[in-house]
């Protein structure tokens, strides 16, 4: 590919007369790092410029005027641009960036061509649509949310823009009218709602937090309404009405440090409580209908609560499991705020993630991942370990998710700082297939993506700025990263 990666400045080719000398081509907001001439099929030539402002721009060299909008998508400075001639006589424009990606563009339209799933590592969510499709949403350090079609591997619509800092929490929000919205929480202190069917924002940004929004949860109420809960580094939990974007009640205060995780806890009487965990080592319960605390704070963890999950039992009860930096997993009775059994010990470093794993026989296990490189399975009715630790990762386990298969089985997927995703059989604790490799940095997000045909794909997000899709029945990648 001639001129690729060289970063050299080329002389623009004037198809008629050049613009007046000394007339600058203004538009970039950062240093212009590279230029390239881009011939078009109609015989004209455009000038492409790449910049430290993370954009590529096209210019008409005969007038000095910009052509179309800035080409956005990179999340770090653009270091190289090159014309890519194709066999059919057309020319694409390629741009390379410090973000580790290469993007292709159609210079005649300014549209991306086969844009990879890049730049999105902080959060993932599966978003069901009324037409039966499920989209994959990814949020990133580049301040945007992207939607993807997991069947075609294509981006759906334009990036959802509006946040002014890292998007680090996403959740699908079902409404009583059958629609599903997407909620995003950001380091810009706001929560935003989006219509995934149109890509448009819904309502005004939800403001009130005074620090990063770290966690989001959907809270169903007995009257059929759905609220949205957010946890923040301002030590509070807030409730919002997603139909109006208005706050519901006063902030829920009590934590003395950052709120790191928020989950819902359904009770046998039909109510749903809200649980929050914090760096203060305490788990708190709240009544979302009133915003009032329920019971006493649940103390026992001696360090940062990093994970919470509701655990349904066969007898109809629901327990709450917490994972902590004190190396333990604990069970709690949300109706009494009392601990259930002794702490579940065995990990030799921080517990980073806790999830539930439903089995075909109706039981539910609790799975925990740790910085000791292992996963463990627990029986929540007894607190006893199930089988031996699951070993194989060579760095800390950062993400876990249960993946249901068409044949009725459920696998457990794990993502690690060793850059791999692994699948496990929770009934035996044995690995399923070989490690899934391809990421070039640590995997920090996993989500199961149900498809209309009944299959489920597995999506992984990584610090290498990519999202990858996998077939959990074969372990093979699906589409391009």
């Amino acid at each position: 590919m001639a001129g690729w990666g060289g970063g050299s400045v080329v002389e623009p080719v004037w198809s008629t007369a050049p613009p007046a000398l000394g007339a600058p081509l203004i538009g970039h907001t950062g240093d212009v790092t590279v230029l390239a001439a881009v011939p078009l099929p109609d015989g004209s030539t455009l000038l492409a410029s790449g910049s430290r402002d993370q954009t590529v721009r096209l210019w008409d060299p005969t007038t000095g005027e910009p052509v179309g909008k800035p080409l956005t998508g990179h999340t770090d400075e653009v270091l190289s641009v090159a014309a890519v001639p194709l066999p059919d006589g057309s020319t694409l424009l390629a741009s390379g960036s410090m973000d580790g990606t290469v993007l292709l563009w159609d210079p005649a339209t300014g549209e991306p061509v086969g844009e990879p799933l890049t730049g999105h590592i902080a959060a993932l969510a599966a978003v069901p649509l009324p037409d039966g499709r499920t989209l994959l949403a990814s949020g990133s350090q580049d301040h945007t949310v992207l939607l993807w079609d997991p069947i075609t591997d294509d981006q759906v619509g334009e990036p959802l823009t509006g946040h002014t800092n890292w998007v680090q929490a996403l959740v699908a929000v079902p409404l009583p009218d059958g629609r599903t919205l997407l909620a995003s929480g950001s380091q810009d202190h706001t929560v935003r709602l989006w219509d995934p069917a149109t890509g448009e924002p819904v309502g005004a940004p939800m403001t009130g937090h005074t620090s990063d929004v770290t966690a989001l949860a959907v809270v169903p109420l007995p009257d059929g309404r759905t609220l949205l809960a957010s946890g923040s580094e301002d030590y509070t939990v807030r409730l919002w009405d997603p139909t109006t974007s208005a706050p519901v009640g006063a902030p829920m205060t009590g934590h003395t440090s950052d709120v790191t995780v928020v989950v819902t806890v359904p009770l046998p009487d039909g109510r749903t409580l809200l649980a929050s965990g914090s760096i203060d080592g305490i788990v708190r319960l709240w009544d979302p209908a009133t915003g009032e605390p329920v019971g006493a704070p649940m103390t026992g963890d001696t360090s940062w609560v990093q994970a919470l999950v509701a655990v349904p039992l066969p007898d109809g009860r629901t327990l709450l499991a917490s994972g902590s930096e004190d190396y333990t997993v604990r069970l709690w009775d949300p109706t009494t705020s009392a601990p259930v059994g002794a702490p579940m010990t065995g990990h030799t470093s921080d517990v980073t993630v806790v999830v539930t794993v439903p089995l075909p026989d109706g039981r539910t296990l609790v799975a925990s991942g740790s910085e000791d490189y292992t996963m463990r399975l627990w029986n929540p009715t007894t607190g006893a370990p199930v089988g031996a630790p699951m070993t194989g990762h060579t760095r800390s386990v950062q993400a876990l998710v249960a993946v249901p298969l068409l044949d009725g089985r459920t696998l457990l997927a794990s993502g690690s700082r060793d850059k791999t995703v692994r699948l496990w059989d929770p009934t035996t604790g044995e690995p399923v297939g070989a490690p899934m490799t391809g990421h070039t940095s640590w995997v920090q997000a996993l989500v199961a993506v149900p498809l209309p045909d009944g299959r489920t794909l597995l999506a992984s997000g990584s610090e290498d700025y990519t999202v990858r899709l996998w077939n959990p029945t074969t372990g093979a990648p699906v589409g391009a990263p």
Side-chain angles (χ1 to χ4, degrees), residues 169-465:
L170 290 172
V171 69
V173 185
L175 299 185
D177 62 10
R179 291 181 301 147
T180 298
L181 301 182
L182 176 66
S184 56
S186 168
Q187 284 188 347
D188 66 10
H189 309 176
T190 72
V191 178
R192 289 176 178 260
L193 288 169
W194 314 88
D195 184 341
T198 64
E200 294 296 323
V202 176
M206 291 175 273
T207 59
H209 283 300
T210 58
S211 191
D212 303 1
V213 177
T214 52
L216 294 172
V218 174
V219 187
L221 298 185
D223 61 10
R225 291 182 301 145
T226 297
L227 300 183
L228 178 64
S230 58
S232 169
E233 289 186 1
D234 65 11
Y235 307 175
T236 71
V237 178
R238 288 179 177 257
L239 289 169
W240 312 88
D241 184 339
T243 63
T244 64
S245 299
V248 177
M252 292 175 276
T253 60
H255 284 297
T256 58
S257 191
D258 305 0
V259 176
T260 53
V261 60
V262 177
V263 300
T264 54
V265 186
L267 299 185
D269 62 9
R271 292 181 301 145
T272 297
L273 299 183
L274 188 64
S276 57
S278 168
I279 290 179
D280 64 16
I282 295 173
V283 177
R284 291 176 178 265
L285 288 169
W286 314 88
D287 184 342
T290 64
E292 294 297 320
V294 176
M298 290 178 277
T299 59
D301 287 307
T302 58
S303 190
W304 179 359
V305 178
Q306 301 196 90
L308 286 175
V309 66
V311 184
L313 300 185
D315 61 10
R317 293 181 301 147
T318 298
L319 300 182
L320 182 66
S322 63
S324 169
E325 207 174 35
D326 66 7
Y327 307 176
T328 68
V329 178
R330 293 173 184 261
L331 289 169
W332 311 87
D333 184 339
T335 63
T336 63
S337 298
V340 177
M344 293 179 277
T345 59
H347 284 298
T348 57
S349 190
D350 305 2
V351 176
T352 53
V353 59
V354 177
V355 300
T356 57
V357 185
L359 299 184
D361 61 11
R363 293 180 300 146
T364 296
L365 301 183
V366 172
S368 57
S370 169
E371 290 192 359
D372 66 10
Y373 309 173
T374 72
M375 287 76 58
R376 289 177 176 259
L377 291 167
W378 312 89
N379 183 335
T381 60
T382 65
V386 177
M390 292 175 279
T391 61
H393 284 298
T394 58
R395 296 286 303 278
S396 63
V397 178
Q398 297 297 124
L400 293 173
V401 69
V403 186
L405 302 185
L406 274 173
D407 61 11
R409 294 180 301 148
T410 296
L411 300 183
L412 177 67
S414 58
S416 168
R417 286 194 185 222
D418 67 11
K419 308 174 189 177
T420 70
V421 178
R422 290 176 177 256
L423 290 169
W424 311 86
D425 184 338
T427 63
T428 65
E430 294 296 319
V432 177
M436 292 177 278
T437 60
H439 284 299
T440 58
S441 189
W442 56 288
V443 178
Q444 64 177 20
L446 292 172
V447 67
V449 185
L451 301 184
D453 61 8
R455 293 179 302 142
T456 299
L457 298 183
L458 176 65
S460 58
S462 166
E463 268 213 343
D464 65 9
Y465 303 165

Side-chain angles (χ1 to χ4, degrees), residues 96-197:
S97 167
M98 277 282 286
D99 65 14
T101 69
V102 176
L103 300 180
L104 288 170
W105 313 88
D106 182 345
T109 64
E111 294 298 321
V113 177
E115 184 176 0
L117 304 179
T118 57
H120 283 246
I121 62 170
L124 290 172
V127 186
L129 298 186
D131 61 10
R133 292 181 301 147
T134 297
L135 300 182
L136 178 66
S138 58
S140 173
Q141 289 170 314
D142 69 6
H143 311 173
T144 71
V145 177
L146 295 183
L147 294 170
W148 311 92
D149 185 331
I151 296 177
T152 65
D153 204 28
D154 292 331
Q155 182 181 322
V156 177
E158 297 298 316
L160 311 185
T161 60
H163 284 298
T164 58
N165 209 327
W166 186 349
V167 178
Q168 54 188 8
L170 290 172
V171 69
V173 185
L175 299 185
D177 62 10
R179 291 181 301 147
T180 298
L181 301 182
L182 176 66
S184 56
S186 168
Q187 284 188 347
D188 66 10
H189 309 176
T190 72
V191 178
R192 289 176 178 260
L193 288 169
W194 314 88
D195 184 341

